[in-house]
Amino acid sequence: MDNTDNRNAHHKSNYAIKNNLHLLLLLIPGLAVLVLFTFYPIIKMAVMSFFDWKIGYSQTSRFVGLKNYVDVFTDPIARTALVNTLYYALITVPMQIALGLLTALLIYGIKKFSLTFRLLYYLPVITSWVVVALLFRYIFSNQGLLNYIITEVLHISDKPVGWLSTRWPALTATTILGIWKGIGWNMVVFLAALHAVPVELFEAASIDGANSVQKFFYITLPNIKGTILFALVMLFIGAFNTFTPINVITGGNPAHQTEVVLTWMYFQTFGTVGKMGYSAALSVIISLIVSVIAVILFRVIKPESRGGKL
Amino acid sequence: MRLFSRFLAALLLLSLLFSMTGCGGQSSLPSATDKPPTETAETNDEGNASSKKPIEIEFWHNYDAGAGQIDVLEQLIAEFERENPDIKVNHLYLEWSALRSNVFAGASTGELPDVLRGDIGFVPQFQSLDILFEMSSLPDYNDVASKIMEAPNSTAKMGDKFYGIAANTNTKILFYNKKMFADAGLSIPKTLDEMWDCAEKLSNSKTIGFVEAWTGVWNIGQYIWSYGGDVMAPDNSTATGYINGPVSVAVVQKLADLYKKKALSGPTLDPGALGDTDGWAAGVYAMEIDGPWRHTLAQAANIDIGAVQMPPGPAGSIGVLGGEDFMMFKTSDEQHREAAWKFIKFMVDKKAQVAMAKVGQMPVNKEAMSDPEALEALPLLPIFEEALKTARSRPVTPKWSDIENIIATKVAEAITGQKDVQKALDEAAAEIDNLLASD
């Protein structure tokens, strides 16, 4: 009896090894790409953040310990950029989710023209960031469409309003762009989630006499919790990666007051003589912040839903 | 599954080791000796080949295709190749920032051109990467440089060595919208103080008297110098007492006052403002101190534009030098360097300089400057020639790019009223001195 068990176990482990080897062989090409273009650059960047990294082929990079991190933490513009990024994230993420979910619910509820509305709301997502950022710039600039309406059509004021002239109004204009462009993506994600909620639950609730609001809060929301978490994490990462709207609309001006972390990182790397170490340290810090936010979101939302964990 | 985890761990470790080796000795990167395999070496391998392959040199530049400069360049290259059948010039156009970033990328790999024609501001930036070839070490450099105007060539000088040679030059003069001056009944300002007065008088809810595209020394240096101040000590050792000195503070205060009165604007001060080219075309801006391109651009937009030398301050009319220099890199071998130098000499000679003048490039060659054909092509040349006599180069020092960024930021903070002028400029001086003190 024991012998048979041992033999079986031996066969099983042989089979497992063979199976794993097969898996490995199939995974190698994908893994190689992942290692070369994702893991390696991440690790290299982390290493660079401890060096006064020189890009000249004949120059030697000097180990400077935590100096780059100290430079980032004591740099007032880096702080401004981080605060601006958080402002952008805290406005665009909830607004995109709220409006995306609302649009999804409205489209979910209609029978006709559902595809047309889906297409219309998704259009901003597939348009070029540069093109729409330029359009927003023309709308909000001193001689732009909005000021034309204010001064020439409605005659509310004879002087144009400097929507983009100072820090907070300019950042707010970019958040409007971010929200407008993101609604479509959220709508598609939430529509898919809504379709996955079992209809029987709504039918049962109707029999129990639940109204639409109760159905939304007690059935829809708990069932799409996982999707909300997914959208939150993706959108926070996206918000920390925002670059084009700021670069096109304000260029970080005036005096770097409207920089976000990525535009500031880009300026430090390519706008000057290449502060690679500083930028690498800033990247590491931002990655850590985004990771912490993601962990907090997972803890708070606890994505157990139907079918187990997300 | 354990095997799989081990494999993943091994891969991660490998990539870590891989990245660690990247920061140690950089011996794996190409050096001057192993780039590129010369054609002569190839022909030697083939024995005495009857048709010797020409030496190919790579030339990166940002000549303006729209102005017809690339067509002229191609004609000049063809002529050069006829005169020098053993040399072939491969030219590559790169837009300003692409030119710069490609050199930055090439700086880490050693893949750099043999000749580059780029902004004078690139000289200190590239030299800080230790990639430029010291051109004054060439035996006949001084002979060639003697035919070139001294001021433009000073932009390639760092310490007592030259890391380039002037290719073409420019400085800035006062451009004004003739119609707006006539409508306001104003005469052309004779001094800088009068120019500021005009800026105020020409501003209303629809127009802005003066535009500045940026707040670096390229823009404010000319005022500080013309009022008798400076941005840094003559030996570039400190900025304290210069950028935060009484003259600089007064100049920036004047600009801040104009900005407050909406008589001065520009996209780096106010992201909602029109860029200078759009603003000129829209008839919003009345005056700008700018280079020769402003004339061409305004004419293209059908704006009746006038030009005079920048009005003088108490110390005279001291403009800022612009333009481009030719540069060579350490990565080229002896043969390519020789061929590259031959090509540069051809390009700074009178004939090529006049040809380029006809398509808008202000010559640096002394003879070309007074050539009738060049004068005919560039009607503003006499005004610029006069301005060039007193124009100054921005400090040519390895950390200049960072220094100018500090000044641009602090001056913008002061002009837009985010900070008191003296406080902002004191901070600028302290930051610059800190930067100079760090290695």
Side-chain angles (χ1 to χ4, degrees):
Chain A
M1 196 63 182
D2 277 348
N3 271 348
T4 328
D5 274 356
N6 275 344
R7 232 183 4 248
N8 278 344
H10 188 67
H11 274 154
K12 240 183 191 169
S13 72
N14 262 353
Y15 173 76
I17 289 171
K18 260 190 186 168
N19 203 22
N20 273 341
L21 274 175
H22 271 130
L23 275 175
L24 261 181
L25 281 173
L26 289 169
L27 281 171
I28 276 175
L31 273 176
V33 171
L34 192 70
V35 167
L36 201 63
F37 296 108
T38 306
F39 293 157
Y40 170 67
I42 290 174
I43 295 166
K44 176 97 178 180
M45 187 192 71
V47 172
M48 275 169 82
S49 70
F50 297 103
F51 282 78
D52 174 18
W53 195 266
K54 301 283 187 194
I55 56 170
Y57 71 97
S58 59
Q59 293 174 308
T60 314
S61 302
R62 203 163 40 89
F63 181 76
V64 291
L66 292 171
K67 186 185 174 293
N68 290 322
Y69 289 90
V70 174
D71 285 351
V72 172
F73 285 118
T74 53
D75 179 1
I77 301 174
R79 268 200 303 275
T80 305
L82 187 60
V83 171
N84 291 348
T85 310
L86 284 170
Y87 176 78
Y88 183 87
L90 290 175
I91 290 188
T92 57
V93 175
M95 289 299 282
Q96 281 183 77
I97 289 185
L99 293 173
L101 184 55
L102 182 70
T103 319
L105 283 168
L106 291 174
I107 292 175
Y108 184 68
I110 57 169
K111 299 251 173 342
K112 278 182 181 173
F113 301 115
S114 154
L115 189 68
T116 317
F117 279 114
R118 260 186 280 177
L119 188 75
L120 284 175
Y121 277 100
Y122 203 72
L123 264 180
V125 183
I126 52 167
T127 50
S128 148
W129 267 109
V130 177
V131 173
V132 290
L134 275 173
L135 280 175
F136 265 67
R137 208 188 133 172
Y138 286 127
I139 292 171
F140 287 102
S141 71
N142 298 352
Q143 273 81 20
L145 184 68
L146 197 56
N147 274 323
Y148 174 76
I149 294 171
I150 289 171
T151 56
E152 305 290 331
V153 181
L154 302 174
H155 299 288
I156 299 171
S157 155
D158 15 311
K159 282 184 183 168
V161 182
W163 302 107
L164 302 177
S165 308
T166 45
R167 183 180 176 188
W168 298 111
L171 284 171
T172 309
T174 58
T175 60
I176 295 172
L177 168 60
I179 294 165
W180 172 78
K181 206 166 180 323
I183 291 175
W185 182 83
N186 285 277
M187 175 206 68
V188 168
V189 169
F190 287 124
L191 256 181
L194 288 176
H195 281 291
V197 181
V199 190
E200 303 85 61
L201 293 178
F202 290 108
E203 287 168 358
S206 298
I207 294 165
D208 289 344
N211 61 27
S212 304
V213 177
Q214 285 169 323
K215 277 187 211 165
F216 174 74
F217 282 105
Y218 294 107
I219 300 171
T220 314
L221 264 192
N223 275 290
I224 60 165
K225 213 162 125 185
T227 311
I228 293 175
L229 177 67
F230 165 73
L232 269 173
V233 174
M234 294 306 285
L235 292 177
F236 259 106
I237 294 172
F240 271 83
N241 278 329
T242 189
F243 176 84
T244 318
I246 294 289
N247 201 38
V248 173
I249 294 177
T250 71
N253 294 309
H256 303 295
Q257 287 297 298
T258 57
E259 300 279 3
V260 283
V261 282
L262 240 63
T263 56
W264 181 235
M265 207 184 287
Y266 183 82
F267 182 83
Q268 289 287 31
T269 317
F270 301 106
T272 63
V273 259
K275 289 185 184 166
M276 298 290 168
Y278 175 99
S279 304
L282 184 54
S283 301
V284 171
I285 293 167
I286 299 309
S287 311
L288 288 175
I289 292 174
V290 175
S291 309
V292 168
I293 290 174
V295 169
I296 292 172
L297 287 173
F298 268 89
R299 284 279 157 83
V300 172
I301 296 187
K302 295 194 187 85
E304 288 105 331
S305 59
R306 290 169 305 99
K309 289 195 174 185
L310 182 85
Chain B
M1 223 44 221
R2 237 169 52 202
L3 184 70
F4 179 62
S5 320
R6 277 184 193 165
F7 174 71
L8 256 184
L11 271 179
L12 271 171
L13 193 69
L14 207 69
S15 62
L16 179 68
L17 286 172
F18 197 30
S19 63
M20 293 298 278
T21 49
C23 47
Q26 306 217 348
S27 54
S28 58
L29 292 166
S31 69
T33 45
D34 50 43
K35 185 257 165 186
T38 65
E39 278 69 19
T40 324
E42 281 171 24
T43 46
N44 280 348
D45 288 346
E46 289 162 14
N48 292 326
S50 55
S51 57
K52 198 180 160 192
K53 272 192 188 171
I55 295 171
E56 288 191 28
I57 56 168
E58 300 297 322
F59 173 40
W60 294 0
H61 62 86
N62 61 341
Y63 282 111
D64 185 358
Q69 290 169 6
I70 293 186
D71 294 338
V72 171
L73 175 69
E74 282 173 351
Q75 287 162 20
L76 288 170
I77 288 175
E79 196 176 329
F80 172 77
E81 287 175 349
R82 269 199 304 279
E83 286 174 19
N84 300 275
D86 55 334
I87 303 172
K88 188 176 178 324
V89 181
N90 298 322
H91 80 92
L92 174 69
Y93 165 80
L94 290 158
E95 172 275 322
W96 189 94
S97 58
L99 188 62
R100 188 170 169 275
S101 51
N102 269 33
V103 171
F104 273 28
S108 59
T109 59
E111 286 298 321
L112 290 162
D114 301 297
V115 186
L116 179 134
R117 176 264 190 194
D119 196 306
I120 52 170
F122 290 168
V123 175
Q125 288 179 32
F126 295 166
Q127 184 46 24
S128 71
L129 305 174
D130 194 20
I131 50 175
L132 288 181
F133 172 70
E134 187 215 322
M135 285 174 69
S136 47
S137 68
L138 294 160
D140 53 346
Y141 180 86
N142 287 338
D143 296 341
V144 180
S146 67
K147 293 175 190 160
I148 288 173
M149 288 193 296
E150 207 175 314
N153 212 37
S154 69
T155 60
K157 193 178 181 187
M158 290 181 75
D160 53 355
K161 292 170 179 165
F162 287 85
Y163 290 92
I165 195 160
N168 43 267
T169 188
N170 64 58
T171 183
K172 301 201 291 179
I173 58 173
L174 171 64
F175 290 96
Y176 59 94
N177 185 314
K178 282 185 182 170
K179 189 177 176 298
M180 286 163 85
F181 265 79
D183 290 350
L186 292 171
S187 53
I188 312 308
K190 299 270 186 303
T191 63
L192 282 178
D193 288 337
E194 281 181 30
M195 187 173 85
W196 307 133
D197 286 344
C198 284
E200 278 188 47
K201 287 175 185 156
L202 289 162
S203 303
N204 55 47
S205 62
K206 299 261 184 281
T207 60
I208 293 163
F210 204 81
V211 56
E212 274 304 353
W214 191 44
T215 48
V217 176
W218 170 248
N219 301 72
I220 62 149
Q222 56 212 358
Y223 311 130
I224 295 175
W225 296 329
S226 298
Y227 277 103
D230 211 337
V231 290
M232 281 181 85
D235 60 355
N236 299 331
S237 59
T238 179
T240 304
Y242 295 90
I243 191 64
N244 61 341
V247 175
S248 306
V249 172
V251 164
V252 177
Q253 186 63 58
K254 183 75 213 175
L255 297 173
D257 295 344
L258 289 170
Y259 182 77
K260 207 173 173 184
K261 291 174 185 162
K262 296 197 185 296
L264 164 72
S265 194
T268 54
L269 294 168
D270 172 0
L274 285 172
D276 50 359
T277 302
D278 288 346
W280 271 102
V284 170
Y285 298 134
M287 288 188 285
E288 185 176 14
I289 302 282
D290 210 358
W293 50 85
R294 182 57 50 211
H295 191 241
T296 327
L297 290 168
Q299 279 184 326
N302 279 328
I303 297 291
D304 194 6
I305 192 169
V308 288
Q309 196 180 345
M310 181 176 76
S317 169
I318 306 170
V320 61
L321 273 171
E324 282 81 19
D325 289 341
F326 284 112
M327 293 159 233
M328 288 161 73
F329 295 92
K330 284 181 173 177
T331 39
S332 302
D333 63 14
E334 195 68 36
Q335 273 185 318
H336 285 78
R337 196 169 289 158
E338 263 178 41
W341 178 227
K342 253 189 193 174
F343 177 64
I344 292 172
K345 284 193 276 190
F346 173 84
M347 289 298 286
V348 297
D349 207 34
K350 186 187 166 190
K351 198 175 176 187
Q353 290 271 302
V354 171
M356 274 297 174
K358 288 183 192 167
V359 279
Q361 289 294 339
M362 203 171 293
V364 287
N365 184 297
K366 288 173 192 165
E367 282 181 65
M369 202 77 182
S370 50
D371 184 88
E373 281 187 90
L375 278 168
E376 197 193 327
L378 298 169
L380 298 180
L381 199 57
I383 303 173
F384 279 105
E385 196 179 1
E386 201 53 34
L388 280 168
K389 285 180 188 161
T390 49
R392 274 184 65 170
S393 153
R394 283 166 286 173
V396 189
T397 164
K399 289 175 179 167
W400 178 247
S401 178
D402 284 335
I403 294 173
E404 194 165 23
N405 276 328
I406 293 172
I407 294 175
T409 305
K410 294 297 169 189
V411 169
E413 285 179 353
I415 293 178
T416 53
Q418 292 170 42
K419 271 185 189 148
D420 169 65
V421 175
Q422 184 71 57
K423 184 173 182 279
L425 297 184
D426 283 346
E427 286 176 6
E431 275 188 39
I432 294 168
D433 284 2
N434 260 341
L435 183 74
L436 292 171
S438 66
D439 54 350

